[in-house]
Amino acid sequence: MSGDHDLLDSGSVADAPVREDDPHADVRVVTFGCRLNAYESEVIRARAAEDGLKDAIVFNTCAVTGEAVRQARQAIRKARRERPGAKLIVTGCAAQIDPAAFAGMAEVDLVLGNAEKSQAGSYAPQAEPVRVRVNDIMSVRETAGHLIDGLKDRARAYVEVQNGCDHRCTFCVIPYGRGNSRSAPAGEVVEQIRRLTAQGYQEVVLTGVDVTSWGSDLPGAPTLGQLVARILRLVPELPRLRLSSIDAAEIDPDLMRCLAQEPRLMPYLHLSLQAGDDMILKRMKRRHSRADALKLIAEVRAVRPDTAFGADLIAGFPTETDEMFANTVRLVEETGLAFLHVFPFSPRPGTPAARMPQLTRPVIKARAAQLRTAGEVALARHLARQIGREVQGLVERGGLARAEDFTEIAFAGEAVVGSIVSLRVTGAEGGKLLAELA
């Protein structure tokens, strides 16, 4: 769980979710983990088609937890049973970090690294087939602005603006799967968003591993806020621009100004908080304190009162006492969070946190359950405040939409997927708002 390794859904989850294509498709891509992986699966799909790949399943894996890796291995075995003749290709963070583990599976035909998975020719037949093609991710210096003309998710488009991470949180293996931070040039980002908007996308999400570090490696070290301002200025026809998860230590003045002045920048921030206790934050090697998180949220609300906040939180980090955990639970209410991603701590081999004194699994499980309960209370409080309001929802699929602050809305009536509709909120149920077309 590095700074911006945000998950595909918005609810409280224990581990990285999985999405897969039509199981009857000739070439299937099975995606584990974050929005960046979901975006890169579109690149994989395009590359595979260009390379003439046939009768294959590509597994785009996640390494954020041990459970995510276990799920990938399980899916690979199941796929081999269901499609014995298909070519099985494994890529993504888990494959990058431990290629030998996947190469050792009899079911796997090819292991590709994170850099290789989006390169032209990676899926083409090789004159001399090499079963493992995984290079040193730390040697990668550029992030390509992959231009995607169509996405399976028709509601919104994701654009990769950054990859990798320069920080070394003690619990996280993602930098070893993604490499150091590198940014896509602003011009390429703007061009891609122009193309997507021209196809009718009403909402674009800027995604990456550590999005708030965007620009630090580019000439002149531009900021994420400057990129956002440039997109909104140069693509005036784009109705909604959204940020994926951001690091609580890094909101630059330009980004704060955009939140205050740009209604097309959506009022939702998902923060990589991880804990609400200063000693645990220090042992995690996070760059913010509890006070920093409270101050940041207060400052955003001062300039954009309608902003909703989500957060990643880890339950049961090594050495966490009852009092330390209580500080994290209290933070949920003190900050007025609306959405939580709760992770039971999972030691990742090779990380400093794996060598710290561990809590027992029952304690970790109980704390994760308590945090999720706090998240349910927080979400109910957030939903109750919306009843009676008229909101603008982006239709994700039949009868479901997302408000500007990312709240899920179940509505009665017909509306085109990907369109923005006015909705009158009548109630709340099951973690969603209930509404009717206004």
Side-chain angles (χ1 to χ4, degrees):
M1 283 157 290
S2 81
D4 187 37
H5 213 253
D6 52 321
L7 298 185
L8 287 163
D9 66 317
S10 67
S12 297
V13 292
D15 290 289
V18 56
R19 285 184 177 180
E20 56 184 284
D21 290 349
D22 175 1
H24 305 295
D26 186 50
V27 175
R28 230 169 98 208
V29 182
V30 183
T31 308
F32 295 83
C34 63
R35 290 188 180 96
L36 182 58
N37 253 15
Y39 170 83
E40 289 174 346
S41 286
E42 301 296 339
V43 180
I44 289 170
R45 195 172 288 108
R47 289 283 182 256
E50 290 166 9
D51 290 349
L53 183 66
K54 302 289 184 188
D55 191 17
I57 306 173
V58 183
F59 297 87
N60 195 10
T61 63
C62 172
V64 74
T65 63
E67 175 63 15
V69 179
R70 188 195 68 78
Q71 287 177 7
R73 294 173 68 88
Q74 186 180 51
I76 291 163
R77 293 189 186 102
K78 183 183 177 193
R80 177 56 75 212
R81 290 193 300 271
E82 292 176 350
R83 284 177 62 176
K87 184 174 186 178
L88 302 192
I89 301 170
V90 184
T91 187
C93 288
Q96 177 69 45
I97 291 167
D98 193 0
F102 291 99
M105 295 180 70
E107 296 87 352
V108 173
D109 296 299
L110 175 63
V111 181
L112 291 175
N114 258 336
E116 289 75 19
K117 72 181 180 184
S118 56
Q119 290 173 355
S122 287
Y123 304 93
Q126 303 288 317
E128 294 182 19
V130 178
R131 195 152 171 264
V132 179
R133 298 207 294 274
V134 179
N135 290 326
D136 176 13
I137 197 71
M138 295 300 176
S139 67
V140 178
R141 292 285 175 263
E142 293 181 356
T143 282
H146 303 298
L147 292 175
I148 299 299
D149 285 321
L151 295 93
K152 286 185 68 62
D153 180 355
R154 289 304 305 177
R156 62 176 57 79
Y158 297 96
V159 172
E160 177 186 341
V161 300
Q162 181 275 343
N163 207 331
C165 184
D166 290 337
H167 312 302
R168 297 295 181 263
C169 297
T170 59
F171 53 82
C172 187
V173 295
I174 297 306
Y176 306 102
R178 290 284 180 179
N180 291 319
S181 181
R182 50 210 188 272
S183 310
E188 291 183 13
V189 173
V190 169
E191 175 58 25
Q192 174 145 2
I193 292 174
R194 258 201 205 106
R195 288 168 58 144
L196 291 164
T197 306
Q199 290 173 54
Y201 283 100
Q202 302 286 295
E203 180 175 304
V204 168
V205 184
L206 304 185
T207 190
V209 174
D210 182 23
V211 168
T212 33
S213 71
W214 179 87
S216 58
D217 58 321
L218 295 176
T223 64
L224 177 64
Q226 288 168 351
L227 175 65
V228 166
R230 185 169 177 175
I231 292 165
L232 292 168
R233 184 177 72 253
L234 296 179
V235 195
E237 62 274 25
L238 173 68
R240 289 164 64 146
L241 181 66
R242 192 180 291 284
L243 299 175
S244 61
S245 179
I246 65 173
D247 195 318
E250 290 181 308
I251 288 193
D252 63 83
D254 294 297
L255 184 54
M256 195 67 82
R257 196 173 303 115
C258 286
L259 282 164
Q261 299 174 0
E262 290 284 2
R264 290 186 296 145
L265 179 61
M266 294 296 95
Y268 174 65
L269 295 177
H270 191 89
L271 303 175
S272 179
L273 294 181
Q274 311 303 358
D277 179 83
D278 282 337
M279 180 55 73
I280 292 299
L281 287 167
K282 189 174 181 180
R283 288 172 181 163
M284 288 178 167
K285 211 173 172 185
R286 299 296 294 165
R287 293 175 303 138
H288 69 275
S289 66
R290 190 179 208 279
D292 292 335
L294 290 165
K295 180 171 179 279
L296 175 89
I297 290 172
E299 286 175 349
V300 172
R301 284 210 174 102
V303 301
R304 190 78 175 267
D306 59 336
T307 304
F309 293 88
D312 294 332
L313 292 171
I314 296 174
F317 188 80
T319 77
E320 183 183 68
T321 64
D322 289 343
E323 185 181 350
M324 291 169 179
F325 176 66
N327 283 335
T328 295
V329 176
R330 278 197 299 273
L331 185 73
V332 176
E333 186 168 349
E334 287 176 36
T335 51
L337 295 174
F339 308 100
L340 296 191
H341 282 159
V342 176
F343 294 83
F345 177 74
S346 171
R348 306 299 290 121
T351 60
R355 299 190 293 273
M356 295 178 186
Q358 305 291 306
L359 275 58
T360 65
R361 294 315 297 175
V363 168
I364 293 171
K365 191 175 177 182
R367 288 184 181 174
Q370 191 178 335
L371 258 184
R372 287 196 193 100
T373 299
E376 289 165 6
V377 171
L379 178 57
R381 190 167 51 232
H382 170 72
L383 296 177
R385 287 197 293 266
Q386 315 300 319
I387 295 171
R389 293 182 180 175
E390 188 170 309
V391 299
Q392 300 299 303
L394 178 78
V395 180
E396 294 187 329
R397 55 187 187 275
L400 280 175
R402 290 273 179 186
E404 292 183 333
D405 67 3
F406 210 62
T407 306
E408 197 169 8
I409 310 164
F411 67 93
E414 296 294 320
V416 176
V417 172
S419 65
I420 296 172
V421 294
S422 294
L423 298 164
R424 191 176 300 106
V425 180
T426 57
E429 187 181 287
K432 300 182 184 73
L433 292 176
L434 303 177
E436 55 191 28
L437 288 166

